[in-house]
Amino acid sequence: MRLAYAHTGGEVMGTTLADYLDDWILDPLFLIPLVLALLYFRGLRRVPMRAGARFGRGRPVAFAAGLLVLALSLLSPIDALADISFFWHMVQHDLLVLYGTPLILLGAPFVPVVRGLPRTIRRRLFIPFARSPLTQGFFRMLTHPVLAFVILELWIMAYHLPVTYDLALNNNAFHTLAHALLVFGAVLFWWNIITPYPFRLRLHPLLGCLMLFGSSVVNAGISSMISFSGEVVYQFARPELFMGLTAHQDQSLGAVLMWVMGGMFRLLVIIVIAYRFAMREELKEPRMAPRLAGASAAAGN
């Protein structure tokens, strides 16, 4: 196993596909989620009893699974393979945007992470900062559903422009920034779908389904343009290393993965949201029936 301390930024490190399967990256930026994980599990034991029911076994499992997915995407050979293959590029981005980020939010990290902070930092720095009207106003603006949708989808479209994508392949700093913006946009997007405790859902579930549908339309548009392109769009250094495919075949395979798997996952989430919404509405009906019956009787008299 070969360990590196940063992304290669387009530099060819191997001559065969097997060489890339041995690349594991020790990226210092991953210290950020590791610190968050330490605070999360430290603070989980300090969550107040009134909120404890919201942190069953599923929450920490989801949080840990999300961190594992992010690590797999950014630190494993997937990151090196994404330098030579558009297919693996799409695998990496799906792991970041569709799986790792929502899993972390499903872990409801806010309360445990805050509780995991040292008491002095929490009381003297974080709480005054979080209670500031300016901070709360900025946060509400940033997580507005329309702005969150635009930030993520606009960056995904911009990232898949040939000039932007090729720059990320050949520039280490920009490649890191591109991934950071993807995760940032994904957090804002999924915040409106999941809305972790203790925050209140500001978007109606059916509007959340519409948001996901809009994301599917953008995803299908980008992937179809790449899939039906008659020429190689992106300039990978060693595309022939991936399964013996030509660069165009690899590009088409990656576009199909983006189109089908991305669309199917969003559709699955839409189905789950719609089903849960329907179940909640059905539970309300028995409580409303006596009121409706009483109103009908009063009208008859």
Side-chain angles (χ1 to χ4, degrees), residues 25-283:
I25 299 171
L26 297 178
D27 193 336
L29 288 177
F30 201 75
L31 287 174
I32 297 174
L34 287 181
V35 169
L36 291 178
L38 176 63
L39 294 175
Y40 179 92
F41 289 104
R42 181 173 184 259
L44 197 61
R45 298 174 297 176
R46 303 177 178 182
V47 173
M49 291 297 296
R50 64 180 180 276
R54 298 180 179 271
F55 292 91
R57 294 181 179 179
R59 297 292 189 189
V61 169
F63 183 83
L67 285 178
L68 182 61
V69 170
L70 289 184
L72 186 65
S73 173
L74 297 174
L75 307 182
S76 79
I78 289 177
D79 189 63
L81 288 170
D83 278 347
I84 63 170
S85 164
F86 184 72
F87 174 85
W88 281 105
H89 158 85
M90 289 316 310
V91 170
Q92 184 180 49
H93 282 198
D94 280 354
L95 289 175
L96 287 172
V97 175
L98 299 181
Y99 303 102
T101 301
L103 278 171
I104 288 176
L105 291 180
L106 282 172
F110 183 80
V111 172
V113 168
V114 172
R115 288 282 172 178
L117 290 170
R119 181 176 298 180
T120 301
I121 294 178
R122 183 173 70 248
R123 292 184 174 180
R124 295 186 179 181
L125 295 179
F126 181 82
I127 292 179
F129 173 78
R131 288 179 175 175
S132 166
L134 183 62
T135 300
Q136 294 182 2
F138 180 74
F139 179 78
R140 283 194 298 269
M141 179 195 70
L142 200 58
T143 56
H144 190 280
V146 175
L147 184 59
F149 179 88
V150 169
I151 288 175
L152 176 62
E153 303 304 332
L154 195 61
W155 175 238
I156 289 177
M157 287 188 288
Y159 193 2
H160 287 90
L161 293 173
V163 62
T164 311
Y165 192 94
D166 292 342
L167 178 60
L169 281 176
N170 294 283
N171 187 290
N172 183 28
F174 185 76
H175 185 269
T176 301
L177 176 63
H179 280 169
L181 289 174
L182 269 181
V183 174
F184 175 71
V187 169
L188 298 182
F189 180 92
W190 287 106
W191 190 280
N192 288 279
I193 307 298
I194 297 172
T195 312
Y197 174 84
F199 300 91
R200 293 183 178 181
L201 184 67
R202 65 191 294 182
L203 189 65
H204 191 280
L206 296 185
L207 290 178
C209 292
L210 183 61
M211 191 173 178
L212 284 162
F213 176 76
S215 179
S216 295
V217 171
V218 174
N219 179 74
I222 297 173
S223 56
S224 61
M225 286 190 291
I226 297 173
S227 179
F228 295 125
S229 174
E231 58 185 20
V232 176
V233 179
Y234 307 117
Q235 302 303 316
F236 287 98
R238 299 294 297 273
E240 74 280 0
L241 294 182
F242 178 63
M243 295 176 57
L245 300 178
T246 65
H248 191 268
Q249 290 170 334
D250 169 62
Q251 177 179 289
S252 299
L253 186 61
V256 169
L257 176 71
M258 180 182 184
W259 195 343
V260 177
M261 296 304 295
M264 288 180 61
F265 180 81
R266 290 173 176 87
L267 176 60
L268 177 62
V269 177
I270 289 174
I271 292 173
V272 170
I273 293 174
Y275 175 79
R276 293 186 63 184
F277 174 73
M279 290 298 100
R280 285 198 297 267
E281 292 300 305
E282 186 176 340
L283 290 175

Side-chain angles (χ1 to χ4, degrees), residues 4-17:
Y5 287 94
H7 188 272
T8 60
E11 179 186 350
V12 179
M13 294 181 63
T15 57
T16 67
L17 179 61

